[in-house]
Amino acid sequence: MALVNVGAREIHCKIVYYGTGQSGKTTNLVRLHQDVPEPSRGDLLSIATEGERTLFFDFLPLDLGMVEGFQVRFHLYTVPGQPQYERTRVTVLSGVDGIVFVADSQRDRFRDNVVSLLEMRQVLEALGRPLERVPLVLQYNKRDLPGVVPVPILNARLNPYRAEYYEAVATSGRGVLETLRAIGKLVIAQL
Amino acid sequence: MERQSNRVVVSARDLAHISRCLASLVQNGNANCALLLDSSGQVVRSAGETEELDTTSLGALLAGNFGSAREIARLLKERSFTALFQQGEQASVYTHLVNDRWLLSVVFDRRTQVGLVKSLTHRSAAEIEKLLRKAPAGARAMEAVVSPEWRIAADQALTQALGGADSSLRSE
């Protein structure tokens, strides 16, 4: 839920990167931290990681600067993707203004993506925020790997609301900035 | 303050009231600083010694902490935990839930007593709670801020912040 602090002349919005385990959510934030020019990005905070897996969340503040007298900040979060952290994902999704669903394009992860999307929808319903009312962008990640699922099939199963989608290779940065720009635009439109 | 379907508006008058409340809490409790957060972790206002503190990250972590506590309460069939206390050797943090929607956090050290901080935090939380229950004051101010022109300017600021990234790379 966006916070419009008229007194302090600040606007804060929360964007969550959601998706199945190791789909590339943290990699998106790491690339953004590398690629976004310094005045705009804050410190990347990764909490309680075990190996390459997120146990709680990653956090990256992004400062858009002054817009007609108001400081605008995006707060970017990832969720832990592993199934056992469902309640942690509920916590991170609370108050969300926009979601990037990061799907793993590999064939053997296809079902995991479907399950993760279904869970996300259920969590949002429980939070009183039906998915169709939350700004959403899909990112089909790992497009550089061999034998990935074709985009039309991913769209058919993961994108019933015809949300904007981007092909990406988060490790190289391909599609990462574009995805954020797209969700940022939707969040601004819904303020 | 006003809650709308997808946003919370804090008016200048509300913020001034909150600022006074936090400053009084810090001063009377001999605390290092106090922060009012929304449950997403966004800092509404802080008071005290915050210059050396990354309040943005602190807000995210405190909110995450409280979110976890909420889930623990659920597992224990407890309605909610209304307060959390984190005790360190030098610094400690006491966080109190306000209206199920806001968090009042106080950072303090050995210069003061835990009991005093808790007591004053409860009192301040009650005062802020009253303020939050009052009639909304920010709607008109909000409409004046987020105009169609503002949205266009914000879009441009976003593109600029991302180094001019162009969304024309979208896959179709």
Side-chain angles (χ1 to χ4, degrees):
Chain A
M1 188 174 295
L3 173 66
V4 182
N5 197 334
V6 178
R9 304 192 75 75
E10 292 174 352
I11 296 177
H12 300 263
C13 304
K14 180 176 185 177
I15 295 172
V16 175
Y17 284 70
Y18 200 99
T20 189
Q22 296 194 305
S23 61
K25 303 175 291 297
T26 298
T27 308
N28 264 269
L29 260 58
V30 169
R31 284 304 308 202
L32 287 168
H33 187 250
Q34 287 174 13
D35 295 345
V36 172
E38 192 156 359
S40 300
R41 57 146 167 90
D43 293 333
L44 176 62
L45 186 70
S46 286
I47 301 161
T49 54
E50 186 181 86
E52 292 184 346
R53 292 178 179 265
T54 302
L55 296 188
F56 198 172
F57 60 78
D58 307 296
F59 172 67
L60 178 66
L62 190 73
D63 196 338
L64 271 56
M66 294 295 277
V67 180
E68 308 215 339
F70 275 74
Q71 193 81 33
V72 182
R73 292 202 175 101
F74 283 172
H75 297 227
L76 312 181
Y77 289 78
T78 65
V79 296
Q82 292 172 278
Q84 66 265 39
Y85 298 124
E86 190 234 339
R87 301 314 298 178
T88 306
R89 289 191 284 278
V90 174
T91 295
V92 178
L93 269 184
S94 170
V96 70
D97 296 302
I99 297 173
V100 173
F101 185 84
V102 182
D104 189 327
S105 297
Q106 297 177 94
R107 283 184 191 280
D108 61 351
R109 303 304 308 281
F110 185 72
R111 190 173 176 281
D112 294 336
N113 294 322
V114 174
V115 169
S116 178
L117 186 70
L118 180 64
E119 180 205 81
M120 183 179 84
R121 183 180 298 173
Q122 289 168 343
V123 169
L124 288 169
E125 287 279 350
L127 290 171
R129 303 283 309 278
L131 180 56
E132 56 269 32
R133 289 201 211 146
V134 180
L136 172 71
V137 167
L138 283 91
Q139 184 188 80
Y140 300 140
N141 194 23
K142 307 190 183 182
R143 300 306 297 174
D144 58 328
L145 297 181
V148 291
V149 178
V151 169
I153 296 176
L154 289 169
N155 262 334
R157 288 301 302 274
L158 301 176
N159 196 6
Y161 298 115
R162 300 186 177 194
E164 283 186 52
Y165 62 92
Y166 292 83
E167 293 183 55
V169 182
T171 49
S172 71
R174 179 184 151 204
V176 169
L177 286 169
E178 292 76 12
T179 303
L180 176 58
R181 193 187 184 289
I183 190 64
K185 210 172 159 60
L186 292 177
V187 167
I188 289 166
Q190 190 147 324
L191 265 176
Chain B
M1 281 188 210
E2 181 183 1
R3 275 185 81 174
Q4 298 181 354
S5 57
N6 64 339
R7 66 196 183 215
V8 177
V9 182
V10 184
S11 72
R13 192 185 61 188
D14 292 339
L15 191 69
H17 193 147
I18 289 164
S19 296
R20 283 195 297 275
C21 199
L22 295 182
S24 165
L25 173 58
V26 170
Q27 190 177 355
N28 296 333
N30 204 16
N32 297 28
C33 63
L35 304 96
L36 182 70
L37 315 166
D38 81 346
S39 59
S40 304
Q42 292 147 353
V43 180
V44 176
R45 196 54 150 181
S46 62
E49 303 157 13
T50 55
E51 298 79 16
E52 304 285 313
L53 201 57
D54 179 358
T55 53
T56 305
S57 296
L58 184 63
L61 289 169
L62 287 168
N65 227 349
F66 220 95
S68 293
R70 185 177 288 127
E71 292 304 318
I72 293 169
R74 197 183 66 86
L75 289 174
L76 299 177
K77 302 191 185 341
E78 177 66 49
R79 188 188 157 270
S80 172
F81 291 137
T82 53
L84 275 184
F85 177 43
Q86 288 153 302
Q87 185 172 18
E89 280 187 24
Q90 300 297 324
S92 298
V93 185
Y94 185 67
T95 302
H96 196 287
L97 185 65
V98 181
N99 270 5
D100 283 333
R101 179 69 184 80
W102 310 87
L103 299 173
L104 176 58
S105 288
V106 182
V107 180
F108 59 98
D109 59 25
R110 288 187 288 187
R111 289 177 297 174
T112 189
Q113 300 292 322
V114 180
L116 176 66
V117 171
K118 284 186 177 179
S119 167
L120 292 174
T121 305
H122 284 216
R123 194 189 300 172
S124 300
E127 195 177 330
I128 292 171
E129 189 167 336
K130 261 192 235 166
L131 171 72
L132 301 178
R133 286 188 194 284
K134 281 186 185 170
R140 274 173 298 187
M142 175 69 195
E143 283 166 16
V145 175
V146 185
S147 61
E149 294 75 24
W150 186 90
R151 289 180 211 278
I152 291 167
D155 273 349
Q156 290 168 347
L158 173 63
T159 301
Q160 200 169 359
L162 298 183
D166 188 343
S167 60
S168 64
L169 294 173
R170 176 184 175 185
S171 303
E172 301 263 50

